[in-house]
Amino acid sequence: MSVKSGIHFIAIGVIHSHWMLPNGQPVSNSASFSIITSLNDIGNYTCIATNTFTGLTRTANKTLMIYAPLSKPTILTSNNTAVETKDFSLTCNATGQIHAYKWFINGVAPAGLRIQLSPDRRTLTLSSLTRSVNKGPYVCEIENPFYRNRSDPFTLDVAYGPDIATIVHSPNEYPPGANITLSCVADSNPAAQFSWLHNGQPVSNSATFSIIASLSDAGTYTCTASNSFTGLTRTATKNIIIYAPLSKPTIVTSNITAVETKDFSLTCQATGQIHAYQWFINGVAPAGSRIQLSPDKRTLTVSRLTRRDNKGPYECEIRNPFFSNRSHPFTLDVAYGPDIATIDHIRDQFATGINVTLSCVADSNPPAQFTWLQNGQPVSNSASFSIITSLNVIGNYTCIATNSFTGLTRTANKTLMIYAPLSKPTILTSNNTAVETKDFSMTCNAMGQIHTYLWFLNGLAPGGNRIQLSPDRRTLTIRSLTRFDNKGPYVCEIENPLFRNRSDPFPLNVTYGPDIATIVHSADEYPPGANITLSCVADSNPAAQFTWLHNGQPVSKSATFSIIASLSDAGTYTCTASNSFTGLTRTATKNIIIYVPLSKPTIITSNNTAVETKDFSMTCSATGQIHAYRWFINGLAPVGSRIQLSPDKRILTLRRLTRRENKGPYVCEIENPLFRNRSDPFPLNVTYGPDIATIVHSANEYPTGANITLSCVADSNPAAQFTWLQNGQRISNSATFSVIASLSDAGTYTCTASNLFTGLTRTATKNITIYESWAQEQETRKRMMCTPCTHFTRQTFYICSLSP
């Protein structure tokens, strides 16, 4: 047990107890006692408990530890200077009751392979110091169970470097008179010491120094940085070059004459501190596979010279880092040609009597020399010469162009052809008559210098697989002539390169037909007395000849004829059209029918009586040339599933007649192409009923002596027959009857309504009660022994017996 202040000890559940000091001396005979803690109170305390009755003794022990406050620790180092890459130790120096030492680097417990602690953690050792990782701050802490204290932060000043020495912010090359400033830097703690050497000779002991550039200042400058704490030294080197101005270069060529397609070299001639040679062609750096430079770029060679690409001007430039100079422009005069020789601005063909000038050109440097040959014989040594055209000057003309510098020769040829005018051609035919579907040929007849024969059909060149031309195009053949495509006019044309002439137009009269014969502008049906005109047409060249037949008998030899219609004129009319040139014949046929007016039809029924719910048929009866039958119900064509017509529509059948829908009127109509007629309207009298019988306008109870009238009604066509029964006995055969009420008239009345046409019967029943009047009732009771039994309103019932 560890304590810091007063302590109270208690022993519980004993009869007698006393306490002993750590040294065995008694301190108390009570169960509890108190002390004020001091370092002297450290030790073991024993409690002894005894019971005089049992004779038993028990003990308990407690060890006390007393702690005083801890003083502030300090950090001691293993040496004065911490050097990067070396080991370094820190020891936590403190006195007192210290149970544990702790270290903190930058506020965090130390960790890592380069951090080592002594077994009691009092000493911290850093292996291979680094400037960034190990500068701290470091703190050491001491503690016991009641107190702790920390040292002041300890920051480690790590000596390092110098690192790599660097000469900064200065170029390597200068012109004479330039201000050269050399600065050396090297990271170091403490700061490095610097010294400078020029070509191995000391020139400065500061980090920076300056000089005014001269040629003698060129060379190697070495900076040395050192640190006496770390014992390290670093050096940096810079080579400085001083450049003088350059003189103007000149261009020297490999030979005197530059010839196209040959190689040609130019060399840049110059002296001085030349670092680079640069060439310019037309102000631009040379490029392309035909431009080659020597390894030092001093000589430029152009492979396979061309007049346009390689004339320049050329310039060569020399340079060093501070100075440059260019040669004067050098233009290359490239000898070339002659190129292709050309005979300019002249045709190949001429008419006789024309002044023709032949001119030859060929691009060349220097200009070409020319020679002319006519059919191999020299005729001129100039570039141009003239002739007057005639048939004698026809032939080949050759121009020869030469260049003595290039050794090249070029030739050009032109053949001249002289033509005379052409005479007018004519068209000759293969036969006299052109017949449709037959072949027909025409030949262009002409003389002279004819190069080409041309044909025109309707002003256009003929085309299509039915037009054939001979190999020389002199003869044109038309396959399978047609009247529309091949009538022309045709023109044949002859030509040579300078002249042409055409024949007169030649129209082709194509005979054809007759085509299909047609009978026009006439009907097929007529009434008697009508004017019938029959006309036959058939396209034909020349015009067709016509013949008419009626039922096979000739009736006319003209295209058109007329008759007044009668029944004998009905029949088949045939028109025959013929053409003697083509040998073709065509026919057309028309059937003519003569119709007479139709008589009025009548409607005949299938039976005398039309009964509701039964089927009923009507037939349209008529005679004559009837083509169609039609029916009308209430003026409209019949429709509905209950309306049926026979295949020829002559018979109309009504299924399941109704009194309202099927009463009509009905009309039947007959017609042919010229006439029609209708029957008189036929209204249908549909018999029906009787419907439900009803007894009307009568009461169910009457007093004796009252007038009773019974009437029975039932809708029926024709009107129903009525019979009355009273209690099953016939009493009347009329719809209405009357009686004077008596007690014997009471009972059941039955009305029977019947219809003989439909066979239907309907009945109605009424129960009638008869009551005596009061006076009669008294008279009756006198003769009878009656005892009233019950009273209901005005009715009184008695139980009576007749007195003897």
Side-chain angles (χ1 to χ4, degrees):
M1 177 179 179
S2 302
V3 295
K4 294 172 65 177
S5 58
I7 301 174
H8 184 68
F9 295 90
I10 301 174
I12 300 173
V14 297
I15 298 175
H16 297 290
S17 62
H18 62 272
W19 289 88
M20 297 184 69
L21 289 173
N23 55 11
Q25 299 298 318
V27 292
S28 176
N29 289 319
S30 63
S32 299
F33 79 100
S34 297
I35 59 173
I36 301 299
T37 59
S38 69
L39 294 178
N40 295 327
D41 295 319
I42 295 172
N44 184 57
Y45 289 79
T46 301
C47 168
I48 301 172
T50 61
N51 190 325
T52 56
F53 289 93
T54 64
L56 295 176
T57 297
R58 294 290 188 265
T59 63
N61 292 289
K62 179 174 287 291
T63 299
L64 291 184
M65 187 65 192
I66 308 302
Y67 291 94
L70 294 170
S71 61
K72 187 180 188 75
T74 58
I75 296 176
L76 302 179
T77 62
S78 58
N79 47 43
N80 292 329
T81 304
V83 180
E84 192 169 42
T85 74
K86 307 295 184 180
D87 294 347
F88 191 80
S89 295
L90 301 91
T91 300
C92 189
N93 187 33
T95 59
Q97 294 168 296
I98 302 168
H99 277 209
Y101 292 89
K102 289 182 180 176
W103 289 89
F104 298 93
I105 305 175
N106 296 321
V108 178
L113 296 176
R114 294 193 303 106
I115 305 294
Q116 296 179 358
L117 292 171
S118 60
D120 60 359
R121 307 180 72 83
R122 185 173 171 230
T123 299
L124 182 148
T125 300
L126 303 170
S127 300
S128 303
L129 277 177
T130 67
R131 70 194 74 173
S132 53
V133 176
N134 300 124
K135 65 183 178 180
Y138 294 81
V139 172
C140 94
E141 180 181 276
I142 55 174
E143 69 175 3
N144 61 34
F146 288 99
Y147 299 100
R148 68 178 60 188
N149 212 337
R150 283 193 177 192
S151 69
D152 291 328
F154 179 85
T155 300
L156 195 58
D157 184 21
V158 179
Y160 61 85
D163 292 343
I164 297 171
T166 305
I167 301 171
V168 295
H169 308 304
S170 63
N172 295 328
E173 299 155 341
Y174 295 89
N179 186 7
I180 302 174
T181 298
L182 298 177
S183 292
C184 190
V185 295
D187 192 12
S188 179
N189 183 28
Q193 301 297 316
F194 295 94
S195 63
W196 284 92
L197 302 175
H198 175 217
N199 295 327
Q201 299 301 314
V203 291
S204 176
N205 287 320
S206 62
T208 301
F209 79 100
S210 297
I211 56 174
I212 302 301
S214 67
L215 292 177
S216 62
D217 293 319
T220 300
Y221 288 81
T222 302
C223 161
T224 301
S226 60
N227 184 335
S228 58
F229 285 87
T230 63
L232 296 177
T233 297
R234 295 286 187 266
T235 60
T237 300
K238 178 180 285 289
N239 290 314
I240 289 181
I241 304 172
I242 308 300
Y243 290 95
L246 294 169
S247 61
K248 191 176 190 72
T250 57
I251 295 176
V252 178
T253 62
S254 58
N255 47 41
I256 296 171
T257 304
V259 179
E260 191 168 45
T261 74
K262 306 295 184 179
D263 295 348
F264 192 81
S265 295
L266 301 92
T267 299
C268 190
Q269 185 75 31
T271 60
Q273 291 173 293
I274 302 168
H275 275 208
Y277 293 89
Q278 178 71 47
W279 287 91
F280 298 91
I281 305 176
N282 296 319
V284 178
S289 59
R290 294 192 303 106
I291 304 294
Q292 295 178 357
L293 293 171
S294 60
D296 60 359
K297 294 184 170 55
R298 187 171 170 234
T299 299
L300 181 149
T301 300
V302 183
S303 300
R304 303 183 305 283
L305 279 175
T306 69
R307 71 197 74 174
R308 296 176 185 85
D309 297 339
N310 303 124
K311 65 183 179 181
Y314 292 79
E315 292 173 283
C316 103
E317 181 178 280
I318 55 173
R319 65 179 59 175
N320 60 38
F322 291 97
F323 301 100
S324 64
N325 213 335
R326 280 197 186 191
S327 68
H328 293 300
F330 180 87
T331 301
L332 197 59
D333 184 24
V334 180
Y336 61 86
D339 291 343
I340 296 171
T342 305
I343 300 172
D344 271 348
H345 310 302
I346 187 170
R347 302 188 308 274
D348 294 330
Q349 298 96 14
F350 294 91
T352 55
I354 304 297
N355 186 4
V356 176
T357 298
L358 298 176
S359 294
C360 187
V361 294
D363 192 12
S364 179
N365 182 29
Q369 302 296 316
F370 294 95
T371 301
W372 281 94
L373 305 177
Q374 179 188 5
N375 296 324
Q377 300 299 316
V379 291
S380 175
N381 289 321
S382 63
S384 299
F385 78 101
S386 298
I387 55 174
I388 302 299
T389 59
S390 68
L391 295 179
N392 295 326
V393 299
I394 294 172
N396 184 57
Y397 288 81
T398 302
C399 161
I400 302 171
T402 59
N403 183 335
S404 58
F405 283 86
T406 64
L408 296 177
T409 298
R410 295 287 186 268
T411 61
N413 290 288
K414 181 175 285 292
T415 299
L416 294 186
M417 188 66 194
I418 312 302
Y419 291 97
L422 294 170
S423 61
K424 188 180 187 74
T426 58
I427 295 176
L428 302 178
T429 62
S430 58
N431 47 41
N432 293 328
T433 304
V435 179
E436 191 169 45
T437 74
K438 307 294 185 181
D439 295 348
F440 191 80
S441 295
M442 292 173 277
T443 299
C444 189
N445 188 33
M447 296 177 63
Q449 293 170 293
I450 302 170
H451 279 207
T452 308
Y453 292 89
L454 297 174
W455 288 90
F456 298 92
L457 172 60
N458 296 320
L460 300 174
N465 55 13
R466 294 193 302 106
I467 304 293
Q468 294 181 354
L469 293 170
S470 61
D472 61 358
R473 306 181 71 85
R474 187 173 171 230
T475 299
L476 181 148
T477 300
I478 305 166
R479 301 292 184 190
S480 302
L481 278 176
T482 70
R483 70 197 77 172
F484 305 111
D485 297 337
N486 304 124
K487 63 184 178 181
Y490 293 82
V491 170
C492 116
E493 179 179 281
I494 55 174
E495 69 175 7
N496 60 38
L498 298 182
F499 300 99
R500 66 178 59 189
N501 214 335
R502 283 194 176 192
S503 69
D504 292 326
F506 181 84
L508 193 59
N509 183 25
V510 180
T511 62
Y512 60 86
D515 292 342
I516 296 170
T518 306
I519 300 171
V520 297
H521 308 305
S522 62
D524 295 329
E525 298 144 346
Y526 296 90
N531 185 5
I532 302 174
T533 298
L534 296 178
S535 294
C536 189
V537 294
D539 191 12
S540 180
N541 180 31
Q545 301 297 316
F546 295 96
T547 301
W548 282 93
L549 303 177
H550 175 216
N551 294 328
Q553 299 300 316
V555 291
S556 176
K557 288 191 175 293
S558 62
T560 301
F561 78 100
S562 298
I563 54 175
I564 302 300
S566 66
L567 291 177
S568 62
D569 293 319
T572 300
Y573 288 81
T574 302
C575 161
T576 300
S578 59
N579 183 337
S580 58
F581 283 88
T582 64
L584 297 177
T585 298
R586 296 288 185 266
T587 60
T589 300
K590 179 180 283 289
N591 291 316
I592 289 181
I593 304 172
I594 309 299
Y595 290 98
V596 297
L598 294 169
S599 60
K600 188 180 190 72
T602 58
I603 296 175
I604 301 172
T605 62
S606 58
N607 47 41
N608 293 329
T609 305
V611 179
E612 191 170 43
T613 74
K614 306 294 186 182
D615 294 348
F616 190 79
S617 296
M618 292 172 276
T619 300
C620 189
S621 179
T623 59
Q625 294 167 295
I626 302 168
H627 278 207
Y629 293 88
R630 289 196 183 92
W631 288 90
F632 299 92
I633 305 175
N634 295 321
L636 300 174
V639 294
S641 60
R642 294 193 302 104
I643 305 293
Q644 294 182 353
L645 293 171
S646 62
D648 61 358
K649 295 184 170 53
R650 187 171 170 235
I651 300 173
L652 182 147
T653 300
L654 305 169
R655 299 293 186 189
R656 302 184 303 281
L657 280 174
T658 68
R659 69 194 77 174
R660 296 177 184 85
E661 296 177 0
N662 300 124
K663 63 185 178 180
Y666 293 80
V667 170
C668 100
E669 179 180 275
I670 57 174
E671 70 173 5
N672 60 35
L674 299 182
F675 300 100
R676 66 176 60 185
N677 212 336
R678 284 193 177 190
S679 68
D680 292 327
F682 180 83
L684 192 59
N685 183 22
V686 180
T687 62
Y688 60 85
D691 292 342
I692 297 170
T694 305
I695 300 171
V696 297
H697 308 305
S698 61
N700 293 329
E701 301 165 347
Y702 294 90
T704 54
N707 185 5
I708 301 174
T709 298
L710 296 176
S711 293
C712 188
V713 293
D715 191 12
S716 180
N717 180 31
Q721 302 296 318
F722 295 95
T723 301
W724 284 93
L725 302 177
Q726 180 190 8
N727 297 325
Q729 301 297 319
R730 185 188 299 271
I731 57 172
S732 176
N733 288 323
S734 62
T736 302
F737 77 96
S738 300
V739 294
I740 302 302
S742 65
L743 292 175
S744 61
D745 293 319
T748 299
Y749 287 81
T750 301
C751 163
T752 301
S754 60
N755 185 335
L756 296 178
F757 287 90
T758 65
L760 298 177
T761 299
R762 296 288 186 266
T763 61
T765 300
K766 179 181 281 289
N767 290 315
I768 292 179
T769 304
I770 308 297
Y771 299 98
E772 285 186 310
S773 62
W774 186 83
Q776 289 173 327
E777 182 181 341
Q778 294 302 318
E779 182 62 31
T780 300
R781 279 194 288 132
K782 286 180 183 179
R783 296 189 303 109
M784 300 180 70
M785 296 178 64
C786 299
T787 303
C789 58
T790 307
H791 297 276
F792 296 98
T793 63
R794 62 185 178 85
Q795 299 182 20
T796 303
F797 295 89
Y798 297 87
I799 299 173
C800 304
S801 62
L802 187 61
S803 61

